[in-house]
Amino acid sequence: MSRVRTAVLVSGGGTNLQALIDAKNAGKLPHVEFCAVISSRSDAYALERGEKAGIPVFVAERKGNTQEAFEKEILSILEKEKIQMIVLAGFMSILSEDFVKRYPRRILNVHPALLPAFGGKGYYGLHVHEAALARGVKVTGATVHYVNEIADGGEIILQKAVNVEPGDTPVTLQRRVMEQAEWIILPQAAEMAANEILSQ
Ligand code: GAR
C-alpha cells in the first residue's frame, strides 16, 4: 500500500503532533507516513514527542535567521526526505509565498478558531482564544485548511465547533478546542489530503 511521505512542522508543545502519532498508531492514517518532524525552535517539547515515536527530528531555527535562510533549511530537509505533504501543527511562523507555491494543496494547517473568524496575522496560539473571549462569541472551534499565500486564507478542509462556557479563560478555552476539535479533525484531514495526493 502506498503512503504519502509527510513532514510535521512544529514550534511548541506538540499536542497536535501527538494526536497525529496516536491516530497513526491506532491505524487511522493508513495512507500517511511520518518521515520528519521539523521544529522552528530547538527547545520545543514536540521534538521529544517525535523522537519517542521514532520519527526523524530536525531543527530549523527561526530565531537569528532571515526568513530566506530559515526556509532554505526547511526545504533542504523536505527534499532530502522526499516529503510529499506538510502538516503545520502548532507551527508559529508564516511561510513565504515562494515557499507555499512549491507545495500547492500539499500543506495543511490547523488553526484554533472557525475561520475566517479570528485568523490572519497576529492570530496564533492563545491570542486567538483571547480575541474570541473579548468578542464574546458563544461558539468557536478549529479549522484545518490548505495553506496558500494568504495567512489562514486557504481552502478549508474540515471544521469543528466547540462551545464557549461561562467563566472560560483563554487557557481553558484553548484546552477544550484542542480536545474537542483540533486533535480530532487534524488527523482526519491529513488522511483525506493524503488520499487526494494518491489519487492523482
Ligand atoms: C494549537 O492550538 C494550534 O491550533 C495553534 O497553536 C497551538 C499549538 O499547540 N496554532 C496556531 O495558532 C497557528 N496559527 P501544540 O503545539 O500543542 O500542537
Side-chain angles (χ1 to χ4, degrees):
M1 189 202 299
S2 60
R3 298 193 188 93
V4 175
R5 293 183 63 83
T6 301
V8 185
L9 272 55
V10 296
S11 302
T15 65
N16 279 288
L17 167 66
Q18 191 64 53
L20 291 165
I21 293 167
D22 293 348
K24 180 74 200 165
N25 290 339
K28 292 179 186 164
L29 299 178
H31 300 104
V32 179
E33 182 181 1
F34 294 114
C35 301
V37 169
I38 306 174
S39 176
S40 62
R41 296 176 57 128
S42 56
D43 60 353
Y45 183 65
L47 287 165
E48 285 180 41
R49 296 182 190 270
E51 248 167 31
K52 214 168 152 199
I55 306 168
V57 301
F58 304 86
V59 175
E61 195 82 61
R62 177 66 188 92
K63 220 166 128 190
N65 283 308
T66 61
Q67 182 77 18
E68 205 185 339
F70 171 60
E71 291 189 355
K72 223 172 142 185
E73 179 69 30
I74 296 172
L75 281 173
S76 83
I77 300 164
L78 298 177
E79 278 158 23
K80 210 158 40 197
E81 300 296 324
K82 299 188 169 51
I83 297 300
Q84 300 164 280
M85 181 169 88
I86 300 162
V87 180
L88 309 184
F91 184 66
M92 296 305 180
S93 294
I94 293 181
L95 294 166
S96 71
E97 185 170 346
D98 272 1
F99 187 105
V100 301
K101 281 194 166 153
R102 288 170 185 257
Y103 293 94
R105 292 176 80 81
R106 296 286 186 280
I107 311 176
L108 280 62
N109 180 47
V110 60
H111 184 78
L114 294 174
L115 291 173
F118 310 115
K121 210 166 178 265
Y123 287 103
Y124 60 90
L126 273 179
H127 298 302
V128 178
H129 304 291
E130 280 162 14
L133 289 173
R135 189 66 184 81
V137 297
K138 304 301 174 214
V139 176
T140 182
T143 303
V144 180
H145 62 93
Y146 285 115
V147 173
N148 66 8
E149 63 286 358
I150 303 156
D152 294 325
E155 186 186 320
I156 290 170
I157 305 170
L158 287 175
Q159 289 189 306
K160 197 163 187 293
V162 173
N163 286 334
V164 178
E165 303 289 353
D168 260 340
T169 65
V171 170
T172 62
L173 185 56
Q174 179 183 53
R175 183 75 193 179
R176 189 174 319 109
V177 168
M178 285 174 156
E179 283 176 359
Q180 296 185 5
E182 296 184 48
W183 301 340
I184 299 165
I185 63 173
L186 183 60
Q188 286 175 350
E191 177 65 15
M192 285 166 67
N195 277 305
E196 182 184 299
I197 292 169
L198 292 173
S199 72
Q200 283 162 355

